[in-house]
Amino acid sequence: MHELVDQLLSHVKAAWRYRWYAVGLSWIIAIGGWIAVYLMPDRYEASARVYVDTQSVLRPLLSGLTVQPNVDQVVAMMSRTLISRPTVEKVIRMADMDIRLKTSEEKEQLITRLTRELSIQSAGRENFYTIAYTDRNPQVAKRVVQSLLTLFVEGSVSDKRKDSDSARIFIDEQLKSYGDRLVAAENAVTEFKRRHMGLMAGERGDYYAQLVAAQSALSQASLVLKEAENSRDSIKKQLEFGAEVPSLLGDRNEVEVISSEIDVRIQALEQKLDGLRLNYTELHPDIIAIRRIIAQLIEQKKAEAKLKKPSPSAARPQDPLYLQLSVTLAAAEANVAAIKAREAEYVKRYNELKAAANAVPQVEAEFTQLTRDYMTTKASYEQFLSRRESARITRDMEANTSVMDFRVIDPPQVPSVPKAPNRRLMMSLVLLAALGGGLGGALLISQIRPTFNDERRLREVGGLPVLGTVVMAWTDAQKARRARGLVALLISFTSLLSAYAAIMVALALTASRA
């Protein structure tokens, strides 16, 4: 530590020999620096504050009906990306800064400078933003801030409208595409149903359920037919084992008996036919069977009338019981015929269903696939339709109301005092640089022209022992000259500080007048 202090004192003594060099260099640096700072052009900062109100009362009311993006995030992102080349070019045109531009190089330099110096920063509170720009001309700075503020306010609205229009166009295109696909799918389903009519699971229930139902109906019809045939045979037996028919009547009576029996049967069948027509159409199997039996009886009546042969069953035409049995037999015959027709129809259906046993599973699988594609397309179409309606409501809401309200808290303004350069600070720095430069210059010269100030330094450099030293004896004139030199040095240093103080006072007076 002692050696370090001795070395430091040695350097100070060496620099002290060149103190006037230090004073002169300090004055040169100070005067040059102060002149340079004074000649630096003033730069005025224009600024404006804006508040973005995103708490619209419509947002909770229209929740679920409209598309509501994160407005705070949109505003923050827009504030970060607003200063781009296209925006800066618009600002240059709006602020009339392109009038002074003559070459493309000057334009590029101006764009670069504006991109670097324009700033949009958060003002420390939520959704408060400060727009600032610094320029030599305060009016130019104000116009630039005003232009950027206009673009900031209008940019959000235009961006939202562009996004809404782009979303609406995309949804319309997708809706048209899915509409065409939905129509094609509906036509495919309709054509498939037409080609596979009777084999579809959704027409009369499941195929296997239809098959079981047909088999059950066929069994039931067979049972009913057997019961009807037994009832008819019983009636026939009653007629066959009845009393013999006396043949005392002539041909005329025989014809009348035959006609009377056939007419009774025809009448009974017509009554039953009228009852069936109340519930069924002409294509019902029972109605078709009865009409066929009536036609056969009419033909039989005509044929027997021509042959004039009595009917085997006309044994006792005058017996009421016989006549009643004949009518019952006719009804039983008609019932049997109707049930046979019904059974034949059930047999036909059952055979058709059995024949389609191999085709139905394939048809059901194809129909399931076709229906799945159709339902998927329909769901997508309905979803896009709902989104289009939501987009329409959103567009109307944005056109009629303001989701984001931009409020200019502080309009663009320029203080009368320039923001830069900070001449007081820079003048002080110049003074420090001058003092440091003078001291550094003296040290540098002392290193270029080294001297020995003590015995230790001489012994270290020479490597030889020092036998003694000779002390300088100063005369009175030399002492007086040294004293005057110290006074002059002090005056020079004091003058430098005085000049600095005068400059600072002048700057303060200038700032107070402004």
Side-chain angles (χ1 to χ4, degrees), residues 207-283:
Y207 166 76
Y208 297 102
Q210 294 181 38
L211 186 61
V212 172
Q215 186 177 8
S216 176
L218 179 58
S219 301
Q220 184 68 24
S222 300
L223 180 60
V224 173
L225 177 59
K226 188 174 182 180
E227 293 175 352
E229 288 178 346
N230 291 336
S231 177
R232 181 199 61 185
D233 294 341
S234 177
I235 295 173
K236 281 184 178 181
K237 288 180 181 180
Q238 291 180 15
L239 287 174
E240 290 176 356
F241 290 101
E244 294 182 359
V245 181
S247 57
L248 299 176
L249 297 176
D251 295 338
R252 184 172 177 272
N253 291 332
E254 292 176 359
V255 174
E256 291 176 357
V257 171
I258 294 171
S259 300
S260 177
E261 179 184 354
I262 294 176
D263 290 339
V264 170
R265 293 176 64 185
I266 292 174
Q267 184 179 2
L269 292 173
E270 288 180 346
Q271 291 178 358
K272 187 173 183 179
L273 182 62
D274 293 337
L276 291 174
R277 283 175 174 170
L278 295 175
N279 298 320
Y280 306 103
T281 63
E282 294 294 334
L283 300 179

Side-chain angles (χ1 to χ4, degrees), residues 3 7 15 36 72 77 172 186 190 213 222 285 369 433 447:
E3 294 180 358
Q7 187 175 3
D72 297 333
M77 183 60 66
D172 289 340
E186 290 175 348
T190 303
S222 300
Q369 177 67 31
Q447 294 299 320

Side-chain angles (χ1 to χ4, degrees), residues 79-98:
S79 65
R80 294 188 182 96
T81 60
L82 181 63
I83 303 177
S84 59
R85 184 181 179 89
T87 305
V88 172
E89 291 179 351
K90 291 181 182 178
V91 169
I92 291 175
R93 291 193 297 269
M94 294 173 66
D96 297 332
M97 300 178 69
D98 55 343

